[in-house]
Amino acid sequence: MGSRKKQMADAIKEDRKKVAFAKLNNCPTSPRKMRLVADLVRGKEAEKALQILRFSSKEASRRLEKLLLSAISNWQAKNEDADMEEADLFVQEIRVDGGSMLKRLRPAPQGRAHRIRKRSNHVTVVIGAKNNTQA
């Protein structure tokens, strides 16, 4: 490997250490309901986002709280020598995408049937560090 290529690879590796992510796939909640809660914590500091999710009454907030805790622990696993308080973790990106749909039939009057769509979603949380203080 050439010296420039190695320097670039090292720079990319250092940039990746600043961020960590967690995914939740096929969550049985409609994406619209999950986005309402995701919008509350987008761009907030990690500790403040956890408090918002902990005291929210929505059911989707419980799942997002667990996902955010998972992303934080993933960041700690990547940066074992760094301190979480000094790093100032924040929710860099939170994305809610539609997942697969279960289609069911519900009986309707006069021999008809209505289609019921049970939606699911995929959530991706990316957290980043504002300060990169590593020993």
Side-chain angles (χ1 to χ4, degrees):
M1 180 183 296
S3 63
R4 274 193 326 188
K5 196 171 184 181
K6 182 157 179 50
Q7 289 171 352
M8 195 65 187
D10 291 339
I12 291 171
K13 193 180 287 187
E14 281 300 315
D15 286 343
R16 285 191 182 155
K17 276 188 122 179
K18 294 178 189 174
V19 297
F21 69 95
K23 284 185 176 181
L24 175 63
N25 286 332
N26 294 320
C27 179
T29 310
S30 75
R32 188 175 181 177
K33 291 177 186 174
M34 188 66 84
R35 279 189 198 107
L36 286 173
V37 180
D39 290 342
L40 293 174
V41 297
R42 184 174 286 119
K44 300 269 196 286
E45 294 176 7
E47 292 299 322
K48 190 171 183 177
L50 281 173
Q51 295 301 321
I52 290 170
L53 292 174
R54 190 164 290 136
F55 294 109
S56 176
S57 62
K58 302 236 179 232
E59 188 226 343
S61 67
R62 308 285 174 261
R63 295 185 176 154
L64 274 182
E65 180 185 359
K66 284 179 73 174
L67 188 65
L68 186 58
L69 286 171
S70 174
I72 290 170
S73 66
N74 290 344
W75 186 88
Q76 286 175 335
K78 273 186 173 181
N79 303 289
E80 294 167 350
D81 55 339
D83 187 24
M84 197 175 105
E85 284 78 27
E86 290 178 6
D88 285 337
L89 295 179
F90 71 105
V91 180
Q92 186 173 331
E93 179 183 354
I94 184 164
R95 191 170 57 244
V96 181
D97 302 320
S100 60
M101 219 181 297
L102 296 174
K103 293 179 178 158
R104 300 289 181 256
L105 292 176
R106 165 99 11 125
Q110 298 180 353
R112 295 190 186 97
H114 290 156
R115 182 172 285 166
I116 303 296
R117 294 180 305 230
K118 297 188 174 191
R119 300 173 188 268
S120 66
N121 63 54
H122 307 310
V123 185
T124 305
V125 174
V126 178
I127 60 168
K130 288 182 183 173
N131 298 335
N132 192 18
T133 54
Q134 295 180 0

